[in-house]
Amino acid sequence: EVQLVESGGGLVQPGRSLRLSCAASGFTFDDYAMHWVRQAPGKGLEWVSSISWNSDRIGYADSVQGRFTISRDNAENSLYLQMNSLRAEDTALYYCAKGGAGSYWTLDYWGQGALVTVSS
Amino acid sequence: QSALTQPPSASGSPGQSVTISCTGTSSDVGGYKFVSWFQQHPGKAPKLMIYEVTKRPSGVPDRFSGSKSGNTASLTVSGLQAEDEADYYCSSYGGSNNVIFGGGTKLTVL
């Protein structure tokens, strides 16, 4: 059974940093692309970032480009999102999602999310 | 890139069919086969219902179907059931190493 468990969320002041983690199990982690998607309270889904299986292809939404860094450790079956210079508008539930088999851009399994609140 | 356009709400009675649209451009929805639909119940994570425009993951009822015409993709739910009441989101590859989501549609089963 595919499981994705996010951690590292919390309350942080504007301008500070936070690192999210996503522990994956139930599939061969280094065979698949991975994604971060966020959802602000009461709002819709917003794609944040994606990383290929071997980290050679990475993409970011314009809203986080230059502030967030996605990475992965295939030996540890883990995905990360380093978030710097956080803003109030980054407040959201952050989901980790797995890319599909043969379809990088299909997000086929999602974790339950980690809540990030940016406030002074 | 702008979000894909979905109607904010849709509704139907049990047993009826309802179709939700998702409009983009030739640079996203119209240009690629990577259109997906997600169902999200309150307080829950999104669940993949349709991928690559028309394909259903294992376990998703065949009451759910997807299609695309030009720059508009559609999700049809046939034989509506009470448990289908949820928010539905479309997504598409955006053409620039990115994914674009629609704004979401709240489906109400009357």
Side-chain angles (χ1 to χ4, degrees), chain A residues 30-43:
Chain A
D30 55 11
D31 277 350
Y32 297 96
M34 296 295 294
H35 307 262
W36 288 101
V37 177
R38 68 185 181 183
Q39 187 169 33
K43 301 297 184 182

Side-chain angles (χ1 to χ4, degrees), chain A residues 39 57-58 103 105 107 111, chain B residues 38 40 45 52 93 97-99:
Chain A
Q39 187 169 33
R57 185 181 182 185
I58 287 175
S103 179
W105 303 109
L107 282 59
Chain B
F38 301 91
Q40 187 179 35
E52 292 183 10
Y93 175 56
N97 206 28
N98 63 330
V99 176

Side-chain angles (χ1 to χ4, degrees), chain A residues 37 39 43-47 57-59 62 95 102-108 110-112, chain B residues 1 34 36 38 40 43-46 48 51-52 89 91 93 97-103:
Chain A
V37 177
Q39 187 169 33
K43 301 297 184 182
L45 301 173
E46 179 189 16
W47 173 79
R57 185 181 182 185
I58 287 175
D62 289 345
Y95 292 104
S103 179
Y104 189 110
W105 303 109
T106 295
L107 282 59
D108 59 2
W110 297 57
Q112 289 303 306
Chain B
Q1 284 173 294
F34 299 113
S36 298
F38 301 91
Q40 187 179 35
K44 300 295 187 181
L48 179 67
Y51 68 102
E52 292 183 10
Y89 294 90
S91 75
Y93 175 56
N97 206 28
N98 63 330
V99 176
I100 307 173
F101 282 96

